[in-house]
Amino acid sequence: MSIADLLWRVPSVQMAWRNLGRNRVRTALATLGIVIGVVAIASLGIAGVALQQQATADLGDLSNEVTVTPGEDAAEEGITDEQVATIRTIASGSTVVPEKTNVTAIESRNGREVQVRVTGVTRASALYGLASGDAPDRLRSGALLSNTTATNLGLERGDPIEYDSRLYRIEGLITSTEGFGSATGGRLVVPVSAMNDQQYYDSVTIFTDGREATALTDDLEARFNEGGDEQVDVRNFADVQQRVGSFFRTLNLALLGIGSISLVVASVAILNVMLMSTIERRGEIGVLRAVGIRRGEVLRMILTEALFLGILGGILGAAVSLGVGLVLFHLLTDDPLLVFQWRSAQYVVYGFGFAVLASGLSGLYPAWKAATNRPVDALRG
Amino acid sequence: MTVIELDDVVKRYRTGAEEITALDGVDFRADRGELVTIIGPSGSGKSTLLNMIGLLDTPTAGGVRLDGREVTDFSEAELTAERRSGIGFVFQKFHLLPMLTATENVELPSMWDTGVDRRDRAVDLLERVGLGDRLDHRPSELSGGQSQRVAIARSLINEPEILLADEPTGNLDQDTGATILDELTRLKEAEEIAIVAVTHDEQLVDYADRVVRLVDGVIQ
Ligand SMILES: Nc1ncnc2c1ncn2[C@@H]1O[C@H](COP(=O)(O)OP(=O)(O)OP(=O)(O)O)[C@@H](O)[C@H]1O
Ligand SMILES: [Mg+2]
């Protein structure tokens, strides 16, 4: 015997189902209210998660990154070799990548010209993700070029590229969006020796090794910028990320709040519908009580009716919300199936749970009123 | 054998500052196998008396005994249980549930009883009141007389000792009323039950074994 058959044998369930069937329009409208409430809660919650995931994906994983650039009161036009050496001792164990930057135009064989940022680094592998080829730990005579620029110019791996009247061989292609800094524009990565005419480094990137980026930032500040003297500018993205995170938590709460209001409205509608229908059926319920149906049995019957509205609306609402979520995730993160991860799917569960809870609560008063009405009074008219 | 007994029952209603004495010291009893009709002018307390007999309401003073048991001080839950097992009701306006079929309406009082299936008895009762071909009809598909016969079948589903009817023929024409009364007479003999009927209908008086006249809450 199936669960449905078993349920059907529960008199309250059977009676409730039939009572709801008596006024289909009213039942449908009450259910619609719940559907809207559930969809509001669930899809706003899912939207929050999708937005947050899109934003974090854009930010990349920057929590272990610290950048040092020349400060306002810097003695030289950049970061000196001596300063780099100090950074290396302070950040021992971490990967320290000093870079020099410049801007140049590169020309393809067919005469097209593209402006790119040139970066001279020692350790390219720490900074760049590669679409193809490999980034040797230390660049000597090779170069890396951003993927998009290579496509634009019709260049491929192994082709020669000229910078400052010297030729380099393209050893790898850099994926176009990687982290914060390299999000826009083309980029050419050459050995740091290629930029020997620039005496100082423009920036030093440190990839901390287990150590807190904020702690390292404090150490560097203390060492270089003693007494408010801004020799270097030290930045990490930990607090940016933290702020982004807390912004989305607030946003999500606000969205859920808005969603909950519509579910509260929906449960008031259920309260109204149940109250109306029990008042209309006053005589009928009086007959039930007269022929010996107990108060508790009447109460359960009416409560089941309200719960049915909630469950029905909850199921429909959950289905619609998942559909909305699929679309949202498809638009924002390109992976619609992410909607089924618990982080976002939980809001569908909350919406459903809230719907059942709200309808049960709004059913309580009408059910109690119907059950405690004295049969003599009900039968008198 | 006496099924129900009322002892010097008084019922007062308080509406605002006014107090109405609907029943003023009523003694009443009904035995198995007899049909008692209660007649009297409008407002004389007939329905009030029937509510006392049917344990739907409790008297302000006096005692009620069902099957020789004192039920005067029973709680609402206990009274409900007594109504369920021992008393059948037939109302002037039939009061069938519109979303249930004739058979389901007859089963209704036993519906919440766990582990009992009264389907066969319901069908049997409907056949006995001549509705064997209307088992799956809804109340809206039945005539007044047919509806009242469904109501009678419903009142008998739990094998009561007493059947109470408030103006059972009030909504029916003369002929249909007569068939209902024939039905009740047959049942009272076959099932050995007491029937108490309130009426304005002189016709019902002819079927009665005993007539109780009520005026201003006092039996004449
Ligand atoms: N719940 C109540 N509250 C106040 N007064 C009531 C109530 N029920 C009945 N009464 C009063 O008690 C008296 C008897 O009423 P009851 O309904 O028993 O009369 P009845 O004989 O059945 O009349 P009818 O033939 O019109 O049905 C009437 O005066 C009525 O107004
Ligand atoms: Mg009356």
Side-chain angles (χ1 to χ4, degrees):
Chain A
M1 189 187 293
S2 75
I3 293 175
D5 285 338
L6 270 176
L7 264 181
W8 197 240
R9 294 180 142 232
V10 179
S12 308
V13 171
Q14 193 180 137
M15 291 289 282
W17 186 253
R18 298 210 179 179
N19 279 328
L20 288 175
R22 281 159 76 172
N23 199 330
R24 299 236 164 89
V25 177
R26 185 153 71 184
T27 302
L29 287 177
T31 309
L32 181 65
I34 288 289
V35 171
I36 293 172
V38 173
V39 171
I41 286 200
S43 34
L44 288 177
I46 291 174
V49 174
L51 281 173
Q52 184 170 8
Q53 281 186 357
Q54 184 211 25
T56 1
D58 281 354
L59 282 175
D61 187 21
L62 300 170
S63 55
N64 68 336
E65 216 176 295
V66 178
T67 358
V68 182
T69 48
E72 273 176 29
D73 312 321
E76 311 294 343
E77 286 284 294
I79 310 264
T80 62
D81 282 324
E82 192 185 323
Q83 283 175 317
V84 171
T86 316
I87 292 173
R88 281 192 205 281
T89 31
I90 294 175
S92 63
S94 303
T95 309
V96 177
V97 187
E99 33 181 316
K100 294 178 178 174
T101 51
N102 199 350
V103 176
T104 190
I106 42 179
E107 203 179 316
S108 69
R109 277 170 290 215
N110 56 23
R112 283 184 64 186
E113 225 182 50
V114 170
Q115 289 280 330
V116 290
R117 275 183 75 189
V118 189
T119 313
V121 289
T122 45
R123 284 224 203 177
S125 58
L127 287 177
Y128 303 106
L130 289 188
S132 70
D134 51 7
D137 258 4
R138 292 185 184 279
L139 281 176
R140 292 199 195 286
S141 60
L144 303 176
L145 186 64
S146 47
N147 216 355
T148 40
T149 319
T151 331
N152 279 344
L153 297 175
L155 290 171
E156 284 175 10
R157 209 140 55 81
D159 286 346
I161 196 164
E162 191 187 321
Y163 171 69
D164 203 17
S165 356
R166 271 186 66 183
L167 281 179
Y168 300 89
R169 184 171 298 279
I170 300 176
E171 288 188 5
L173 298 176
I174 309 167
T175 47
S176 27
T177 54
E178 181 66 26
F180 227 24
S182 58
T184 51
R187 184 181 288 263
L188 174 68
V189 183
V190 292
V192 76
S193 57
M195 303 176 94
N196 270 343
D197 52 334
Q198 291 184 32
Q199 196 184 349
Y200 303 117
Y201 295 98
D202 292 290
S203 72
V204 179
T205 309
I206 306 152
F207 299 93
T208 62
D209 179 33
R211 192 134 75 107
E212 276 288 322
T214 39
L216 178 61
T217 306
D218 292 344
D219 289 352
L220 291 170
E221 290 268 7
R223 173 67 183 75
F224 288 108
N225 299 342
E226 222 173 324
D229 183 29
E230 287 278 321
Q231 284 297 323
V232 295
D233 189 11
V234 190
R235 275 169 203 274
N236 66 58
F237 299 101
D239 61 327
V240 175
Q241 276 201 321
Q242 229 164 43
R243 257 179 284 164
V244 168
S246 85
F247 166 74
F248 276 107
R249 269 190 295 280
T250 317
L251 179 74
N252 246 11
L253 276 181
L255 291 177
L256 282 184
I258 295 170
S260 314
I261 290 172
S262 45
L263 204 51
V264 169
V265 173
S267 56
V268 172
I270 288 202
L271 176 67
N272 183 38
V273 162
M274 292 309 300
L275 216 48
M276 300 252 296
S277 92
T278 47
I279 288 169
E280 272 170 24
R281 287 185 280 151
R282 205 171 112 97
E284 221 170 82
I285 291 164
V287 173
L288 282 174
R289 295 278 293 110
V291 303
I293 308 304
R294 300 184 188 100
R295 279 179 178 174
E297 289 160 344
V298 171
L299 188 105
R300 263 178 282 156
M301 180 180 91
I302 309 281
L303 206 55
T304 310
E305 277 179 45
L307 281 173
F308 261 140
L309 291 175
I311 292 171
L312 211 66
I315 290 174
L316 289 175
V320 174
S321 315
L322 282 177
V324 170
L326 283 172
V327 173
L328 275 175
F329 269 94
H330 177 68
L331 291 177
L332 292 176
T333 69
D334 277 337
D335 185 3
L337 293 182
L338 279 180
V339 74
F340 294 111
Q341 61 179 337
W342 176 244
R343 267 183 77 184
S344 51
Q346 62 177 334
Y347 293 105
V348 175
V349 177
Y350 296 161
F352 180 81
F354 203 178
V356 175
L357 191 77
S359 59
L361 283 178
S362 9
L364 269 182
Y365 175 66
W368 174 82
K369 219 171 134 77
T372 51
N373 203 352
R374 283 167 18 109
V376 244
D377 298 334
L379 287 168
R380 271 167 60 89
Chain B
M1 196 183 89
T2 304
V3 185
I4 185 96
E5 258 184 297
L6 266 59
D7 243 355
D8 199 17
V9 159
V10 177
K11 182 68 182 178
R12 291 195 192 92
Y13 292 110
R14 181 173 287 284
T15 40
E18 217 182 340
E19 199 173 55
I20 298 164
T21 305
L23 296 176
D24 196 1
V26 169
D27 293 317
F28 179 89
R29 43 167 269 276
D31 299 343
R32 276 182 186 274
E34 75 167 340
L35 191 154
V36 185
T37 61
I38 303 171
I39 58 169
S42 186
S44 56
K46 304 184 295 294
S47 297
T48 307
L49 176 57
L50 205 66
N51 289 341
M52 298 299 144
I53 301 170
L55 309 186
L56 285 170
D57 209 348
T58 46
T60 313
V64 182
R65 271 193 306 283
L66 180 71
D67 262 341
R69 287 171 301 133
E70 193 67 46
V71 297
T72 322
D73 298 322
F74 270 25
S75 69
E76 172 59 40
E78 288 169 318
L79 292 176
T80 305
E82 293 297 339
R83 289 201 299 271
R84 180 135 140 185
S85 62
I87 304 171
F89 291 89
V90 175
F91 306 95
Q92 179 176 351
K93 291 182 203 149
F94 326 135
H95 282 314
L96 302 177
L97 300 198
M99 73 287 189
L100 301 182
T101 64
T103 316
E104 288 163 344
N105 262 295
V106 174
E107 282 181 281
L108 185 70
S110 66
M111 202 167 160
W112 270 267
D113 292 335
T114 42
V116 242
D117 191 356
R118 298 286 180 134
R119 176 62 46 112
D120 291 345
R121 178 166 166 81
V123 170
D124 181 47
L125 283 169
L126 280 171
E127 276 163 359
R128 272 158 60 193
V129 295
L131 291 174
D133 54 346
R134 294 285 187 277
L135 297 178
D136 294 323
H137 285 56
R138 309 256 163 180
S140 59
E141 299 158 348
L142 298 172
S143 71
Q146 289 170 333
S147 294
Q148 197 59 305
R149 278 184 280 163
V150 173
I152 290 172
R154 176 179 67 188
S155 72
L156 295 173
I157 189 75
N158 280 339
E159 303 174 47
E161 287 122 23
I162 181 164
L163 194 161
L164 305 177
D166 200 343
E167 315 228 19
T169 57
N171 274 15
L172 303 173
D173 62 47
Q174 191 87 7
D175 291 348
T176 319
T179 65
I180 293 297
L181 291 171
D182 287 335
E183 200 69 66
L184 288 177
T185 313
R186 229 169 27 78
L187 284 168
K188 133 200 124 169
E189 277 151 17
E191 307 270 326
E192 277 280 292
I193 55 175
I195 299 179
V196 181
V198 161
T199 190
H200 279 118
D201 184 2
E202 283 304 319
Q203 186 185 211
L204 213 160
V205 175
D206 299 337
Y207 285 82
D209 298 305
R210 197 148 59 81
V211 176
V212 170
R213 261 167 230 282
L214 203 59
V215 177
D216 286 339
V218 180
I219 290 178
Q220 300 296 296

